[in-house]
Amino acid sequence: MKANVKKRKSNNGVFFTLPVIVSGVILFLILASALLAKVIAPYDPEATDYSASLTRAFSAGHLLGTDKIGRDLFSRLLCGAQTSIFNAILIVAFEVIVGVPIGMVCGYFGGRLDDLVMRVWDVVCAIPSLLLAFVLVAAFGKGTYSGVIALGIVYTPLTAKLARSLIMTEKSAVYVEACKSLGYSHARIMFVHILPNIVTTMIAQFTLDIGSAITAMATLSYLGLGVQAPKADWGTLLKDGMSMLYLNPVLLIAPALAIMITAIAVNVFSDGIQAYIDPGQRKMPTFKKYRKKLLKSETLKSAEGAA
Amino acid sequence: MKEYVKYIGKRIIAMIPILLIVSFAIFFLLRLSSTDEAAVIIGERQATDELKARVTQEYGLDKPELIRYFDWLKGVVVGDFGKDYDSGQDIGELISSRIPVTLGLVLISSALGLTFAIILGVISALHRNKPLDTGISLVMLFFCSVPSFLVSVLVLLILTKFIPGYSFIGTYNNFGEFLQRISVPAVIMALNQLALLGRVTRSSMVSQLQAPYIVTANAKGLTDKDITYKHAFHNAVIPVLTVAGMSFANAIGGTVLIEQIFSLPGIGGLLVSAVQGGNYPVVQILVMFMLIVYLIMSLIVDVLYVVVDPRVKLQ
């Protein structure tokens, strides 16, 4: 009988479908190279070498060539990955730390507080997100951290709305009632009991947000409002590459491809998570496998019965 | 027709409080920063105390913030948008020549994107799980995940490499040249919207085609054409319009970038340099202008709801 119980577990469907595996591997490689950037990078990303300026790609010593003042593009791309991904994680962390509690408190208590916060959110959402980010950067002054905070603020209302709608469906569940009758505090019910139940749905959204945060931060840096020279992220690399459009297009193509591949991989990966969480979309074992399993358990049962 | 006019008038009146709140918020948000506005106005000139005092006097920088806000608001209402901190030029003059490019980009790309998204989405849904559908869906997934500024960087690269005569720098003199300048960026922006809206159209059309009322329609012997366009389509297009409102917002933000990349003389470049330089009057006016464009576009979307779906009533 024990073996039977174990088997039922695998009926949950498959998380590791082909797109998820491919995008997961790509993301893992990007993350690993970003983490180990300082180790892998053959040169110091900020070291200039005027004798080797504008080296072509795939030449000896410089895998992707060098820029106008002889900085190695491959090293800069790796360290840029580190900055870009780190900033994106900061943005998502901001929206999680600020947005989720606000949304949960609003959804859990409802009433006037909820009305007020939602009115404010509606006004914030009436402004196109990139415009809002511009205004916030103008207010905080340009720079990496004001860019991160500005984008964090832009994403926060959406996260809060998600958390709010999730907690509103969850709060009428029986286990919440049980917790209440046990006399648990509201904070404990919200964060110890309800949060684990809604976190899976939110994770799919957060992976998606990391992808869009990477491109949004690159956008700000591209416009000269985010990461400032000599520090590099993928956006500033793009901006530098733009001015070298005719002389060495690799300077433009490499960061563009880096952002593109990351964005697509994140999207596909997040689609995979979403498909796994949503039972309607989940990839189930084929009928053939089901029948095999069914037959096996039937024979097992009959064998047991015979014994 | 009369009720449309009444509805639109009502909606325009309802915009006023939103604009007031947002303008108030933006004004004070910008004043929160530590930027010294007098220094921005003086710019490269030598900052003597005398000059500083004169500038402060001229621009009314020493007045309380609240009074400055109402002065600014009064000016905007009568059409005096204030002076650019950089050049001392009147902002109304500064932006009026740049508006056609931005508006053209946003409107052309949104119209193109929405139209082709619906056409391709419906085609894709009708050929579900066939090679045509897979092809369209893959292309859409690509343009959906890749931000349009990257696409335009790559397109620019290809254009400058392979079309020797293609020049993306310079201004336009007549309408023909204007269209020529903005056609490529407008198509790129449209592609991004097309991908997002097309995916929504496809999934919504697929779910409508599986609904029980389609079976009934089939059983009654309606033609395929009637079923698709009269029944399924009308229901399927509603969620598309909802998302279209959001994607217009993206387009308005996106035009800033696209103008930068294709060095178009629109208001995007102005906005970016104003944000960088702490040129607050320009930031305020441009953000309010873009917000008005966005609100009008979402009003158009709301009117379209009624045109498409007879069950929705104007209120």
Side-chain angles (χ1 to χ4, degrees), chain A residues 283-300:
Chain A
K283 189 160 185 188
M284 288 301 194
T286 53
F287 181 64
K288 235 178 173 175
K289 273 189 192 162
Y290 256 133
R291 205 178 51 178
K292 239 188 194 165
K293 222 172 264 170
L294 218 69
L295 278 177
K296 232 184 196 171
S297 59
E298 293 276 291
T299 45
L300 260 176

Side-chain angles (χ1 to χ4, degrees), chain A residues 123 125-132 134-142 215 218-219 222-225 238-239 242 245-246 249 252-253 255-257 259-260 263-264 267-268 271, chain B residues 18 21-22 26 29-30 33 141-142 144-147 149-151 153-154 156-157 160-161 168 199 249-250 252-254 256-257 260-261 271-272 275-276 280 283 287 290-291 294:
Chain A
V123 174
C125 291
I127 310 174
S129 53
L130 204 55
L131 273 193
L132 183 62
F134 285 156
V135 174
L136 291 170
V137 170
F140 303 146
K142 59 188 176 179
T215 51
T219 309
Y222 176 84
L223 293 172
L225 305 174
L238 262 185
K239 184 175 135 207
M242 205 59 194
L245 179 62
Y246 296 101
L252 185 63
I253 297 172
L257 278 183
I259 301 175
M260 225 177 236
I264 295 179
N267 266 11
V268 173
D271 266 359
Chain B
I18 296 182
I21 294 172
V22 173
I26 288 174
L29 207 59
L30 290 177
S33 70
L141 178 70
F142 176 80
C144 206
S145 359
V146 177
F149 85 94
L150 281 181
V151 178
V153 162
L154 294 181
L156 196 60
L157 202 70
T160 47
K161 271 266 158 202
F168 66 97
R199 271 158 68 98
N250 286 339
I252 288 170
V256 174
L257 269 166
Q260 284 285 88
I261 292 168
L271 179 61
V272 172
V275 168
Q276 276 178 329
Y280 294 152
V283 177
V287 170
M290 289 177 150
L291 186 60
Y294 170 60

Side-chain angles (χ1 to χ4, degrees), chain B residues 68 77 116 126 128 137 139 156 172 207 237 280-282 285:
Chain B
R68 285 182 62 199
V77 171
F116 282 97
L126 290 178
R128 194 158 83 101
S137 299
V139 173
L156 196 60
Y172 57 90
S207 68
V237 85
Y280 294 152
V282 177
I285 294 291

Side-chain angles (χ1 to χ4, degrees), chain B:
Chain B
M1 207 54 223
K2 201 180 155 201
E3 56 180 350
Y4 277 97
V5 175
K6 211 169 142 196
Y7 173 74
I8 291 170
K10 237 192 228 167
R11 283 288 303 267
I12 289 175
I13 292 170
M15 279 177 199
I16 293 172
I18 296 182
L19 290 176
L20 281 178
I21 294 172
V22 173
S23 69
F24 187 82
I26 288 174
F27 192 93
F28 284 94
L29 207 59
L30 290 177
R31 269 33 182 216
L32 273 181
S33 70
S34 53
T35 312
D36 181 10
E37 287 176 70
V40 174
I41 299 168
I42 292 167
E44 311 245 298
R45 285 175 285 174
Q46 187 134 37
T48 55
D49 285 346
E50 188 201 347
L51 182 63
K52 207 165 185 178
R54 210 189 68 210
V55 163
T56 311
Q57 182 70 33
E58 196 182 320
Y59 287 81
L61 298 179
D62 50 349
K63 288 185 204 162
E65 304 286 347
L66 206 59
I67 292 178
R68 285 182 62 199
Y69 172 70
F70 282 111
D71 281 348
W72 174 79
L73 194 64
K74 227 190 290 169
V76 170
V77 171
V78 296
D80 169 23
F81 295 133
K83 272 193 218 162
D84 177 16
Y85 280 176
D86 265 347
S87 60
Q89 220 182 335
D90 184 59
I91 293 178
E93 266 172 45
L94 192 67
I95 65 171
S96 60
S97 63
R98 290 165 175 265
I99 283 177
V101 173
T102 306
L103 266 189
L105 272 181
V106 172
L107 294 181
I108 294 176
S109 68
S110 301
L112 275 183
L114 186 58
T115 320
F116 282 97
I118 289 176
I119 296 173
L120 287 180
V122 170
I123 291 177
S124 178
L126 290 178
H127 296 83
R128 194 158 83 101
N129 293 341
K130 286 185 193 144
L132 183 65
D133 170 42
T134 321
I136 293 177
S137 299
L138 273 182
V139 173
M140 283 180 178
L141 178 70
F142 176 80
F143 283 110
C144 206
S145 359
V146 177
S148 58
F149 85 94
L150 281 181
V151 178
S152 41
V153 162
L154 294 181
V155 168
L156 196 60
L157 202 70
I158 294 165
L159 281 178
T160 47
K161 271 266 158 202
F162 296 105
I163 305 178
Y166 184 79
S167 148
F168 66 97
I169 294 170
T171 173
Y172 57 90
N173 296 318
N174 52 40
F175 190 63
E177 273 178 37
F178 172 72
L179 278 186
Q180 205 183 343
R181 281 301 305 281
I182 73 168
S183 56
V184 175
V187 168
I188 292 170
M189 279 173 70
L191 274 178
N192 195 358
Q193 297 203 36
L194 188 157
L196 179 67
L197 296 176
R199 271 158 68 98
V200 179
T201 314
R202 180 184 173 275
S203 67
S204 129
M205 192 73 188
V206 163
S207 68
Q208 288 299 334
L209 284 174
Q210 287 170 341
Y213 70 85
I214 298 291
V215 180
T216 315
N218 256 324
K220 280 164 80 181
L222 293 186
T223 60
D224 276 354
K225 201 175 139 203
D226 272 1
I227 292 174
T228 319
Y229 297 105
K230 279 202 179 143
H231 293 263
F233 178 69
H234 272 244
N235 285 308
V237 85
I238 295 160
V240 180
L241 287 179
T242 312
V243 182
M246 278 158 48
S247 96
F248 291 161
N250 286 339
I252 288 170
T255 166
V256 174
L257 269 166
I258 301 275
E259 282 169 22
Q260 284 285 88
I261 292 168
F262 284 89
S263 21
L264 286 167
I267 60 177
L270 203 61
L271 179 61
V272 172
S273 60
V275 168
Q276 276 178 329
N279 195 346
Y280 294 152
V282 177
V283 177
Q284 278 158 237
I285 294 291
L286 290 183
V287 170
M288 294 313 290
F289 171 74
M290 289 177 150
L291 186 60
I292 290 174
V293 173
Y294 170 60
L295 287 176
I296 291 176
M297 286 174 83
S298 47
L299 172 61
I300 295 174
V301 169
D302 282 355
V303 174
L304 277 181
Y305 271 121
V306 187
V307 176
V308 171
D309 188 356
R311 284 170 305 183
V312 181
K313 288 277 177 297
L314 291 169
Q315 354 175 304

Side-chain angles (χ1 to χ4, degrees), chain A residues 114-271:
Chain A
D114 185 32
D115 281 346
L116 181 74
V117 174
M118 285 304 130
R119 283 287 158 282
V120 175
W121 275 179
D122 282 345
V123 174
V124 174
C125 291
I127 310 174
S129 53
L130 204 55
L131 273 193
L132 183 62
F134 285 156
V135 174
L136 291 170
V137 170
F140 303 146
K142 59 188 176 179
T144 308
Y145 290 104
S146 61
V148 166
I149 293 173
L151 289 175
I153 293 177
V154 169
Y155 284 128
T156 301
L158 299 174
T159 317
K161 272 192 175 168
L162 179 71
R164 175 177 173 270
S165 66
L166 286 173
I167 209 167
M168 276 169 86
T169 55
E170 202 74 6
K171 76 175 174 186
S172 53
V174 182
Y175 72 87
V176 177
E177 226 162 278
C179 288
K180 273 184 189 157
S181 59
L182 280 171
Y184 288 163
S185 67
H186 291 307
R188 179 169 176 172
I189 296 175
M190 263 192 280
F191 293 102
V192 179
H193 295 274
I194 299 183
L195 191 60
N197 282 307
I198 61 176
V199 87
T200 38
T201 319
M202 288 198 285
I203 282 174
Q205 184 61 39
F206 296 149
T207 37
L208 204 59
D209 282 352
I210 285 192
S212 68
I214 288 176
T215 51
M217 195 62 201
T219 309
L220 282 188
S221 298
Y222 176 84
L223 293 172
L225 305 174
V227 176
Q228 302 291 319
K231 283 220 91 179
D233 79 339
W234 287 339
T236 52
L237 286 179
L238 262 185
K239 184 175 135 207
D240 295 345
M242 205 59 194
S243 57
M244 291 288 116
L245 179 62
Y246 296 101
L247 292 174
N248 194 359
V250 177
L251 288 176
L252 185 63
I253 297 172
L257 278 183
I259 301 175
M260 225 177 236
I261 292 169
T262 317
I264 295 179
V266 168
N267 266 11
V268 173
F269 193 71
S270 154
D271 266 359

